[in-house]
Amino acid sequence: MNVIVVKNAQEGGKEGYQIFRQVKDRGGKVFGLATGSTPLTTYQELCNSDIDFSDCTSINLDEYVGLGPNNDQSYAYFMKQNLFNQKPFAKSYIPNGLAQDIAEEVAHYDQIIADHPVDLQILGIGRNGHIGFNEPGTPFDSTTHEVHLTPSTIEANSRFFDNPDEVPRYALSMGMASIMKAKHILLEAYGDAKADAIAKTIEGPVTEEVPASILQKHSDATLIIDEAAASKLHGQY
Ligand SMILES: N[C@@H]1[C@@H](O)[C@H](O)[C@@H](COP(=O)(O)O)O[C@@H]1O
């Protein structure tokens, strides 16, 4: 793992942008994208740049079950607001939260991932070490699946909703094995609420109880973290 410690999320966004740029300049065409507040500074840097994704494909990690793209809490809506309106891709995939047949949607999404090997996957991290919506205990060999969200994730995400009862209880998420297939992985984490998860991810054992710890086994993973998120690490980075 390549760990880059920055002062704050603004600086992290600049580093994140550089990684997108390098992958694109080397011919990368498929970008795995994430939602949440963490990647926002990187998306902002991309929006303010001359980078052009019009010949590229994006594949998002996850979506809430029950929310369609016009719902302003859906991840599809988030992506339009924060990246796609300014930087459109030739094709953008995101799990269909309104799919009637979940099993069919899951198989369809796995096929999309198989057809479009991801060059760069960007990730945030949950306070419990989850990536995408792969909660602790998710098998490392999992592919796209429906997830029953944990109370801590529902609570953490309730800040985006008017009423905590509105937070969906289920989501569709790329699996751990799908994420690990990406050629390059970039995980960003900012703030002390992520310090425990980051210490376990970098210095703890590789365990399904801390999903992000699998990144220790990836051949090309970069972590951009701020000083607060790095505060529980023992090693020097
Ligand atoms: N599914 C998303 C994750 O992809 C994200 O990494 C996490 C952390 O969100 P934030 O970046 O807002 O802290 O929240 C959600 O659970």
Side-chain angles (χ1 to χ4, degrees):
M1 282 178 170
N2 175 28
V3 180
I4 302 173
V5 181
V6 293
K7 275 229 131 6
N8 52 41
Q10 294 305 324
E11 295 301 313
K14 294 193 171 80
E15 296 283 343
Y17 164 74
Q18 290 301 338
I19 290 177
F20 269 78
R21 186 100 242 177
Q22 283 160 16
V23 170
K24 180 101 197 345
D25 289 349
R26 280 193 244 118
K29 289 265 185 282
V30 183
F31 293 85
L33 302 177
T35 53
S37 50
T38 305
L40 283 175
T41 53
T42 295
Y43 292 163
Q44 200 56 54
E45 293 289 332
L46 290 168
C47 289
N48 292 340
S49 76
D50 63 357
I51 203 163
D52 178 12
F53 291 120
S54 62
D55 61 344
C56 294
T57 299
S58 70
I59 306 186
N60 259 81
L61 282 172
D62 47 13
E63 179 60 283
Y64 288 118
V65 169
L67 303 190
N70 296 327
N71 185 309
D72 62 6
Q73 300 296 347
S74 72
Y75 285 170
Y77 190 94
F78 174 100
M79 289 309 303
K80 270 187 263 160
Q81 291 297 312
N82 293 297
L83 188 64
F84 297 157
N85 284 346
Q86 295 94 320
K87 293 288 173 186
F89 285 67
K91 183 80 191 149
S92 286
Y93 296 101
I94 191 156
N96 178 7
L98 296 179
Q100 292 295 313
D101 185 335
I102 295 284
E104 191 183 38
E105 176 61 15
V106 158
H108 172 64
Y109 212 66
D110 277 336
Q111 193 58 49
I112 290 168
I113 298 165
D115 290 345
H116 303 87
V118 172
D119 293 297
L120 172 63
Q121 175 67 57
I122 185 170
L123 299 172
I125 185 170
R127 289 186 234 165
N128 60 7
H130 76 249
I131 51 179
F133 266 133
N134 294 286
E135 298 280 20
T138 306
F140 282 153
D141 62 2
S142 55
T143 52
T144 304
H145 58 289
E146 186 177 27
V147 180
H148 192 183
L149 300 175
T150 62
S152 84
T153 297
I154 291 168
E155 194 265 317
N157 289 348
S158 66
R159 69 189 193 277
F160 299 114
F161 291 78
D162 293 337
N163 174 343
D165 293 340
E166 287 172 18
V167 188
R169 268 40 184 173
Y170 290 88
L172 295 175
S173 181
M174 251 190 221
M176 297 298 293
S178 336
I179 292 172
M180 284 295 280
K181 282 204 193 109
K183 287 183 207 129
H184 191 124
I185 295 182
L186 164 63
L187 183 145
E188 295 179 61
Y190 306 119
D192 51 14
K194 303 291 173 71
D196 263 329
I198 285 300
K200 288 178 182 157
T201 295
I202 299 176
E203 297 180 340
V206 176
T207 164
E208 288 174 351
E209 292 313 310
V210 183
S213 65
I214 189 80
L215 298 182
Q216 293 179 29
K217 301 228 179 258
H218 196 279
S219 59
D220 198 2
T222 302
L223 274 66
I224 299 175
I225 57 180
D226 69 357
E227 288 167 0
S231 60
K232 293 194 174 163
L233 289 168
H234 295 291
Q236 290 299 312
Y237 300 92

